[in-house]
C-alpha cells in the first residue's frame, strides 16, 4: 500500500511532515477525532490522490496557537484531487475523475443540506453543526495537506471537472474553488455587491483578495481594500483595486471619502476575523475592530458580509471575554443603520460550479489575483512560516509534482 506524507500541526509556530496511514473508507481514531466518529463507515466515500492542496489563513490561526487544536492534527481543508478508489455506495463519481472538494463536509441528507446550508450539516460533526477537513472541533476528519485523503459522501460533495486536460491547464485557478474563491464570493454576495457598487473589503490576505476579485466579477464600480501590509496592498492594486493603508491614523471613513468623494460605501466585507488589529502604526490586537469598521463605513440599509473567521475558543485572546469569542461590537450602530449581517462558513456548493465555469471560460483570473505560488509538500513548513510573516502569496502545495507554477 502507498505511503502517505502529510502536514501536521505540532505546537504553536510549528508544523512538520509526517508519514500517516493510507486512508480507509472509515474514520479512524486520531488527533481531534470525536469518539462518536471513530469507526464511522464511509462506503459512500472515495480516496483521492491529492493534486493540489492549499495553505489557508484558517489553518494559520491553528498554527499560531490561537485555537484548541491538538498536536499531530493533520491540516488542510482546501483539496483538489483524482479519484483512485470509490466506495461501494458511490454511484456517479468514478475512478480517474478530477474533482474539487468543498471544505464543508456535508451529508446531503439532513435538513440543512437539503436547504443548501452545507456549512452547517447536522450529521458529520457530533460537537455542533458544520464540519471541515483537518480542522479543530470539526469532528476529526483527516486533513488534505497530504498525498492521499478520504472524502465522505462523494456523490454529494465532489465537483467533477468535465475535462481533465483542460482542468490541469487551469489548475492553479481551479484549486481555489475548494474554499477561498467561493468564500470571498459569498462575502461579496451577502454584502449585496452588484453592478456599480462601491465596496470596502477589510483584509488583503488571500480571502480578502478573492473577495475583491469576486466583487469585480459581480460588477462593482470601485473595490477598496484595507490592510496594514504594504505588500498585500500592492497585490490588491495589481488587479485594479483601490487601497487604504490602515497603519495611518486617519479615520477609515476619511480615507474612503478621499477615494470616492463620500465617507461611506454600498457594501462591506470582513475578511479578517478575530485576529484583527486596531488602526495606526504599532496598533495592537483589537478583535472587534473590523466588525465596527464595516458598520461605520457601510451606508444605512447596507448588508455586511462576514466570511472572516470568529471562534468560540481562543487561548491567545486579549482578555477573558475574547477567549470565548465575546467581543465589544457596536451592535447599536448596526441597529441604528438597519444593517443586516451574514456570518458563518461559506456553503461552497452554492457557488463552486458557477465559479468553475467562469474560470474555464476565462471570465476571471483568481490565481493571479491571490498570487498563487506552488510549493512541494515537503516545503509546507516554510510556507507556513512565510505566510505568518505576511507575504502576499497564496501557497499551493503539490504533493505529487503534478503542478506547473
Amino acid at each position: 500500500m502507498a505511503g502517505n506524507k502529510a502536514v501536521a500541526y505540532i505546537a504553536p509556530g510549528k508544523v512538520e511532515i509526517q508519514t500517516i496511514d493510507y486512508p480507509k473508507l472509515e474514520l479512524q481514531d486520531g488527533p481531534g477525532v470525536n469518539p462518536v466518529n471513530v469507526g464511522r463507515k464511509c462506503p459512500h466515500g472515495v480516496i483521492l490522490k491529492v493534486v493540489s492542496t492549499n495553505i489557508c489563513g484558517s489553518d494559520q490561526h491553528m498554527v499560531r496557537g490561537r485555537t484548541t487544536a491538538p498536536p499531530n492534527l493533520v491540516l488542510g481543508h482546501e483539496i483538489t484531487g483524482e479519484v483512485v478508489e470509490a466506495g461501494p455506495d458511490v454511484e456517479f463519481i468514478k475512478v480517474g475523475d478530477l474533482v474539487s472538494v468543498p471544505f464543508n463536509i456535508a451529508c446531503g441528507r439532513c435538513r440543512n443540506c437539503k436547504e443548501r446550508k452545507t456549512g452547517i450539516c447536522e450529521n458529520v460533526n457530533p460537537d455542533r453543526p458544520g464540519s471541515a477537513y483537518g480542522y479543530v472541533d470539526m469532528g476529526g476528519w483527516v486533513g488534505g495537506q497530504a498525498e492521499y485523503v478520504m472524502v465522505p459522501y462523494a456523490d454529494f460533495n465532489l465537483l467533477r471537472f468535465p475535462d481533465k486536460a483542460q482542468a490541469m491547464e487551469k489548475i492553479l485557478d481551479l484549486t481555489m474553488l475548494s474554499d477561498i474563491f467561493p468564500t470571498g464570493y459569498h462575502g461579496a454576495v451577502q454584502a449585496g455587491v452588484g453592478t456599480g457598487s462601491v465596496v470596502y473589503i477589510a483584509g488583503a490576505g488571500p480571502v480578502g483578495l478573492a473577495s475583491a476579485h469576486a466583487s469585480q466579477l459581480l460588477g462593482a464600480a470601485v473595490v477598496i481594500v484595507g490592510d496594514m501590509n504594504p505588500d498585500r496592498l500592492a497585490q490588491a492594486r495589481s488587479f485594479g483595486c483601490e487601497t487604504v493603508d490602515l497603519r495611518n491614523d486617519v479615520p477609515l471613513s476619511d480615507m474612503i471619502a478621499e477615494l470616492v468623494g463620500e465617507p461611506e460605501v454600498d457594501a462591506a466585507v470582513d475578511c479578517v476575523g478575530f485576529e484583527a488589529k486596531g488602526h495606526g502604526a504599532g496598533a495592537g490586537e483589537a478583535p472587534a475592530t473590523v466588525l465596527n469598521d464595516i458598520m461605520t463605513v457601510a451606508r444605512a440599509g447596507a448588508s455586511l458580509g462576514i466570511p472572516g473567521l470568529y471562534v468560540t475558543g481562543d487561548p491567545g485572546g486579549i482578555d477573558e471575554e475574547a477567549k470565548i469569542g465575546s467581543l465589544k461590537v457596536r451592535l447599536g450602530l448596526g441597529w441604528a443603520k438597519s444593517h443586516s449581517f451574514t456570518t458563518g462558513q461559506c456553503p461552497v456548493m452554492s457557488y463552486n460550479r458557477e465559479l468553475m465555469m467562469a474560470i474555464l471560460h476565462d471570465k476571471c483570473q483568481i490565481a493571479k489575483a491571490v498570487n498563487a505560488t506552488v510549493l512541494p509538500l515537503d516545503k509546507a513548513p516554510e510556507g507556513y512560516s512565510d505566510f505568518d510573516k505576511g507575504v502576499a502569496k497564496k501557497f499551493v502545495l503539490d504533493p505529487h509534482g503534478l503542478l506547473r507554477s
Side-chain angles (χ1 to χ4, degrees):
M1 186 62 71
N4 192 17
K5 289 184 179 179
V7 182
Y9 166 72
I10 303 302
K14 183 179 180 181
V15 300
E16 71 178 22
I17 307 301
Q18 296 182 348
T19 298
I20 64 172
D21 291 338
Y22 186 84
K24 299 179 181 179
L25 296 175
E26 178 182 320
L27 192 54
Q28 307 292 299
D29 197 5
V33 181
N34 187 294
V36 177
N37 264 352
V38 174
R40 186 170 181 164
K41 305 291 185 182
C42 297
H44 43 67
V46 299
I47 308 299
L48 296 184
K49 178 181 180 179
V50 177
V51 171
S52 61
T53 178
N54 315 326
I55 295 176
C56 180
S58 298
D59 299 320
Q60 197 71 61
H61 291 307
M62 289 188 288
V63 173
R64 289 191 186 115
R66 297 299 298 268
T67 72
T68 55
N72 299 305
L73 178 73
V74 174
L75 302 168
H77 56 271
E78 299 190 12
I79 308 164
T80 304
E82 180 184 4
V83 178
V84 294
E85 180 183 343
D89 291 352
V90 178
E91 185 174 1
F92 304 111
I93 295 293
K94 305 300 182 185
V95 170
D97 284 347
L98 185 62
V99 296
S100 177
V101 184
F103 78 89
N104 324 109
I105 303 173
C107 72
R109 297 156 165 81
C110 69
R111 175 180 175 176
N112 285 338
C113 284
K114 289 178 179 179
E115 294 176 357
R116 300 190 77 184
K117 300 173 183 176
T118 53
I120 44 174
C121 173
E122 298 173 342
N123 289 331
V124 289
N125 181 3
D127 290 320
R128 64 170 72 96
S131 190
Y133 304 90
Y135 211 83
V136 60
D137 295 333
M138 288 291 187
W141 301 90
V142 177
Q145 287 176 15
E147 293 177 306
Y148 299 90
V149 68
M150 190 271 283
V151 173
Y153 303 104
D155 281 328
F156 182 68
N157 281 299
L158 295 179
L159 175 68
R160 184 179 67 85
F161 300 135
D163 184 314
K164 286 177 70 173
Q166 180 193 29
M168 287 305 296
E169 288 293 320
K170 296 180 178 291
I171 193 65
L172 290 187
D173 294 286
L174 294 170
T175 192
M176 305 304 164
L177 292 175
S178 56
D179 183 356
I180 68 162
F181 198 15
T183 293
Y185 191 88
H186 176 64
V189 167
Q190 297 305 316
V193 176
T195 302
S197 297
V198 175
V199 185
Y200 175 64
I201 307 291
V207 170
L209 296 172
S211 192
H213 191 45
S215 296
Q216 294 172 331
L217 185 61
L218 288 164
V222 182
V223 180
I224 304 166
V225 180
D227 204 290
M228 307 177 81
N229 182 318
D231 292 337
R232 289 182 168 181
L233 291 174
Q235 181 63 26
R237 290 192 295 272
S238 75
F239 60 96
C241 299
E242 301 288 347
T243 60
V244 291
D245 189 336
L246 300 176
R247 295 174 299 173
N248 296 328
D249 291 321
V250 179
L252 175 60
S253 55
D254 289 354
M255 290 190 281
I256 288 174
E258 186 174 345
L259 290 171
V260 296
E262 56 184 355
E264 63 182 17
V265 297
D266 300 311
V269 187
D270 172 4
C271 295
V272 178
F274 73 104
E275 287 194 69
K277 293 182 179 180
H279 295 179
E285 190 169 307
T289 295
V290 174
L291 296 171
N292 291 325
D293 274 352
I294 61 176
M295 285 189 286
T296 299
V297 301
R299 66 175 177 82
S303 298
L304 309 178
I306 309 175
L309 176 66
Y310 290 87
V311 295
T312 57
D314 173 14
I318 59 171
D319 55 36
E320 293 306 310
E321 293 298 307
K323 289 178 181 179
I324 58 170
S326 181
L327 309 180
K328 296 179 180 179
V329 177
R330 293 186 64 195
L331 186 60
L333 175 62
W335 189 95
K337 296 176 79 171
S338 293
H339 285 159
S340 59
F341 301 72
T342 300
T343 64
Q345 288 187 32
C346 164
V348 170
M349 279 189 277
S350 292
Y351 309 104
N352 62 350
R353 184 188 179 279
E354 291 83 353
L355 293 176
M356 174 188 75
M357 295 300 288
I359 289 168
L360 293 177
H361 293 278
D362 299 317
K363 301 303 182 186
C364 55
Q365 294 182 304
I366 183 62
K368 182 178 179 181
V370 302
N371 195 16
T373 303
V374 176
L375 291 176
L377 188 71
D378 288 346
K379 296 293 185 182
E382 289 92 327
Y384 272 98
S385 177
D386 289 346
F387 190 32
D388 193 48
K389 295 172 185 174
V391 296
K393 297 177 180 180
K394 173 67 172 178
F395 288 115
V396 178
L397 302 179
D398 182 9
H400 296 278
L402 299 173
L403 307 184
R404 294 181 300 177
S405 58

